[in-house]
Amino acid sequence: MATTLKGMATGEFPVAHSTIDLLPPGPGTRYFRRLLIAAEVLPSIHVLQHELTAHVAAVAATLSPASANMVRRFYRWDLLPKLHRKYRDQGRDLSAGAFINQRGRIAVIVRFLGWMDGHGLALADLDQSSLDRYTARIKVRGPVDHFVRWATRSRLAADLAIYPTGAPNPTTTMTEEELWRATDLLLESETIELAVRVVGLLTLVYAQPLERTVGLTRDRVEVTPHRITIRFGTTPVELEESVAALVRRHLAAPPRRGYAAGESDWLFEGLSPGTHLSAAFARLRLAQHGIGARVSRETRLNLLVMRMPASVVADVIGISNLTADQRKNRAGGTWTSYPGLRP
């Protein structure tokens, strides 16, 4: 690393993303790349998407030529287009959670291909009994199932059957009183970081997924002397007064950045250049105070769909009408009344 950095400083190596790619992958290299992007020394790129592509190339190089080709094709023609539609086409990089998840999925597939190489099996010759024996003895089979379905559709493998793994367990919820106690804690406690309190309240009160909340940009917030609104979906939501007061404090707080001038576009800026607050960090801090972000959000969403039409819930909190309707049916909603804000 020292040689590469010295070469960039002396002009021996160009100051370019291709030079950064020569450094060992990891948080340090990622921070350095983002720092140069924030300082406008390097052109802006989606850093985690770039790292994931480089990671796939690196792990493919450890496999046999045939298996390496399968990994590269699977990533290019199946995973990458889906990631582009969800992230790049929306103008944003992969979330940290998505990056970790995709690396894990690739690792499961690489182990599967390594097992086939070790048994002298080519993908085109894989039979149902061999596939069943392998998937029966692994704990995580979802990525393998996904890969085999893709290979079958692409005519790279025989017509192999993928058996369902069973419906996931229903999400646990909490009582409405427990939800309000957690809400009161975030409203009142000064021992929790202000940004985490605001993120938690947007999840507990407005049913926002934590991953989406931390990625909110400032242009979604409108501040006037008398109210604050945030666009989670199509229609701006006016924040309840006590929540709005914390948001005002958060917006007035000094920026966390020390690496660049100006104001961040993120509502909840992270410590790494160009990034927002980590959902994992917010989830951990909330959990340390006895607040489960997911179960709290599930509870609030159930309460909303039981009291409001699906179209209203979808429009306000940013989910599809179908999702809201399905949630209403599971929760037993009647849509006959509208909830008022808790005093």
Side-chain angles (χ1 to χ4, degrees):
M1 179 180 286
T3 301
T4 303
L5 295 178
K6 181 179 179 180
M8 292 175 66
T10 60
E12 181 182 355
F13 298 141
V15 181
H17 285 293
S18 58
T19 305
I20 305 296
D21 290 340
L22 300 175
L23 300 174
T29 298
R30 187 179 308 145
Y31 184 93
F32 182 58
R33 189 193 299 272
R34 285 173 169 164
L35 185 64
L36 294 182
I37 292 173
E40 299 183 351
V41 174
L42 289 179
S44 179
I45 64 170
H46 291 154
V47 174
L48 290 180
Q49 177 69 81
H50 180 84
E51 283 192 25
L52 183 63
T53 299
H55 173 73
V56 171
V59 297
T62 66
L63 297 171
S64 68
S67 292
N69 183 48
M70 288 298 104
V71 169
R72 288 191 290 263
R73 291 177 67 173
F74 174 66
Y75 178 69
R76 180 176 181 180
W77 299 113
D78 188 90
L79 286 187
L80 197 57
K82 294 174 182 175
L83 293 174
H84 282 173
R85 286 193 295 271
K86 186 173 182 180
Y87 293 97
R88 189 198 65 177
D89 294 351
Q90 306 300 320
R92 57 197 180 106
D93 195 7
L94 298 183
S95 66
F99 175 72
I100 294 170
N101 178 266
Q102 292 301 328
R103 281 185 53 146
R105 294 177 67 84
I106 291 294
V108 172
I109 294 168
V110 166
R111 285 196 295 271
F112 173 56
L113 291 172
W115 173 82
M116 287 202 302
D117 286 343
H119 287 77
L121 291 171
L123 187 59
D125 301 325
L126 181 65
D127 59 89
Q128 189 70 52
S129 62
S130 297
L131 175 63
D132 291 344
R133 283 196 302 272
Y134 181 81
T135 55
R137 67 182 183 86
I138 60 175
K139 293 182 178 179
V140 180
R141 54 173 284 185
V144 174
D145 290 347
H146 181 186
F147 176 77
V148 170
R149 281 193 294 267
W150 167 80
T152 299
R153 291 195 309 269
S154 303
R155 301 183 184 278
L156 300 172
D159 189 12
L160 301 168
I162 302 298
Y163 301 105
T165 56
N169 293 328
T171 304
T172 304
T173 57
M174 59 205 299
T175 67
E176 187 171 1
E177 185 60 32
E178 289 172 330
L179 181 64
W180 282 120
R181 281 201 297 268
T183 302
D184 289 340
L185 174 64
L186 293 178
L187 287 171
E188 299 167 4
S189 176
E190 295 294 336
T191 63
I192 308 173
E193 296 90 334
L194 181 58
V196 173
R197 292 169 68 188
V198 175
V199 167
L201 286 167
L202 297 183
T203 296
L204 271 63
V205 179
Y206 302 99
Q208 292 302 295
L210 202 63
E211 291 75 10
R212 185 190 299 172
T213 302
V214 296
L216 286 171
T217 50
R218 288 178 179 258
D219 60 4
R220 287 187 166 269
V221 182
E222 182 179 346
V223 181
T224 71
H226 305 293
R227 68 174 193 165
I228 294 180
T229 61
I230 298 182
R231 283 187 298 107
F232 301 122
T234 303
T235 301
V237 177
E238 181 175 352
L239 299 185
E240 191 273 334
E241 183 178 348
S242 56
V243 178
L246 289 180
V247 173
R248 289 185 190 277
R249 283 179 52 189
H250 171 70
L251 292 173
R256 303 179 75 190
R257 54 168 55 191
Y259 48 81
E263 186 179 77
S264 171
D265 291 333
W266 299 114
L267 180 58
F268 304 102
E269 186 177 23
L271 292 176
S272 186
T275 64
H276 55 68
L277 183 72
S278 164
F281 172 77
R283 183 179 294 106
L284 175 62
R285 292 294 291 127
L286 291 170
Q288 288 171 343
H289 289 81
I291 300 174
R294 178 169 296 180
V295 66
S296 298
R297 192 244 174 183
E298 291 289 325
T299 303
R300 174 59 64 196
L301 189 53
N302 285 345
L303 291 171
L304 289 175
V305 297
M306 284 194 294
R307 300 167 180 171
M308 299 172 67
S311 59
V312 174
V313 175
D315 181 62
V316 170
I317 71 173
I319 61 176
S320 70
N321 286 330
L322 177 60
T323 298
D325 192 41
Q326 291 174 338
R327 175 63 64 117
K328 183 271 302 182
N329 291 333
R330 291 199 301 270
T334 62
W335 301 353
T336 58
S337 62
Y338 287 77
L341 286 172
R342 183 174 188 250

